[in-house]
């Protein structure tokens, strides 16, 4: 008879799914999203104006979420904790099955669609979005048929939101997602900050595959665009450490 691996664990060990506020059936993408949401609220760099007690509580919350994310990033650990949560969840009784309503004896006849008489003007009906049912404003005069009206959202505002999401992904060491967000922000608003952060993410991807020359070129180009870019300087320091260890090991 096989032994349950959950008996070997410390009973006081916290459930990483519960630490991240999850149900135990989420995939890695949902787990990463939950961790980034907690990190955005409790990271020590974002609590400079808080009291020491609040900083300590936030740091404890951040470290617990980070540890839970590291555990659930491993497929076997994630599967084990998911199975443990499934065994401990109480079973709910099945809902009673209600019979479907009886069909009417004879369907009502369909009314023909109303067609206005020729030459009678009809008022245009406002278009409705399928998601919310909110009337959409008509297109501007002279605009081509079928074109969508402007929503009024400036590209710079959208780029700023993408930049903030990219910074969260960068703090979570998700360089692929951060690169995608910064690239979109740079296309919408090609500012030195957006372009420099895109280069920083490319440098980290080159660094992870040991393309040290390309990584250095990306970090240095980011500093040329934005000399005060702290992330590019950190990337160069990390590059020097990793390249030095790699050369010693060869």
């Amino acid at each position: 008879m096989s032994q349950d691996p959950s008996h070997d664990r410390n009973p006081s060990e916290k459930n990483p799914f519960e630490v991240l506020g999850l149900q135990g059936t989420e995939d890695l993408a949902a787990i990463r999203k939950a961790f980034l949401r907690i990190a955005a609220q409790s990271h020590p760099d974002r609590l400079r104006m808080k009291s020491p007690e609040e900083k300590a509580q936030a740091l404890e919350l951040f470290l617990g979420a980070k540890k839970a994310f590291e555990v659930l990033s491993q497929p076997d650990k994630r599967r084990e904790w998911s199975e443990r949560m499934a065994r401990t969840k109480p079973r709910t009784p099945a809902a009673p099955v209600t019979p479907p309503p009886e069909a009417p004896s004879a369907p009502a006849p369909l009314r023909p669609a109303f067609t206005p008489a020729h030459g009678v003007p009809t008022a245009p009906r406002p278009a409705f979005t399928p998601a919310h049912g909110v009337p959409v404003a008509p297109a501007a005069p002279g605009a081509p048929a079928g074109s969508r009206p402007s929503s009024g959202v400036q590209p710079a505002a959208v780029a700023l939101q993408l930049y903030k999401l990219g910074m969260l992904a960068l703090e979570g060491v998700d360089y692929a997602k951060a690169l995608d967000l910064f690239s979109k922000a740079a296309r919408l608003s090609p500012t030195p900050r957006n372009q420099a952060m895109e280069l920083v993410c490319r440098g980290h991807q080159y660094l992870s595959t040991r393309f040290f020359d390309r990584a250095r070129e990306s970090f240095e180009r980011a500093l040329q665009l934005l000399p005060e870019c702290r992330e590019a300087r950190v990337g160069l320091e990390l590059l020097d450490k990793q390249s030095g260890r790699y050369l010693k090991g060869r």
Side-chain angles (χ1 to χ4, degrees), residues 152-172:
V153 180
Q154 298 297 327
V158 179
L160 179 59
Q161 294 297 325
L162 292 171
Y163 173 84
K164 293 179 179 179
L165 293 174
M167 291 300 295
L168 291 177
L170 187 61
E171 291 177 3

Side-chain angles (χ1 to χ4, degrees), residues 153-191:
V153 180
Q154 298 297 327
V158 179
L160 179 59
Q161 294 297 325
L162 292 171
Y163 173 84
K164 293 179 179 179
L165 293 174
M167 291 300 295
L168 291 177
L170 187 61
E171 291 177 3
V173 200
D174 190 350
Y175 299 123
K177 183 177 180 180
L179 175 60
D180 179 64
L181 292 168
F182 286 129
S183 299
K184 292 178 180 178
R187 286 196 296 269
L188 288 173
S189 179
T191 61

Side-chain angles (χ1 to χ4, degrees), residues 206-207 210-217 239 242-243 246:
Y206 285 134
L207 185 59
R210 295 180 180 176
F211 284 94
F212 298 126
D213 293 338
R214 294 185 180 181
R216 185 178 299 278
E217 180 183 357
L239 169 63
Q242 291 192 9
S243 60
Y246 177 74

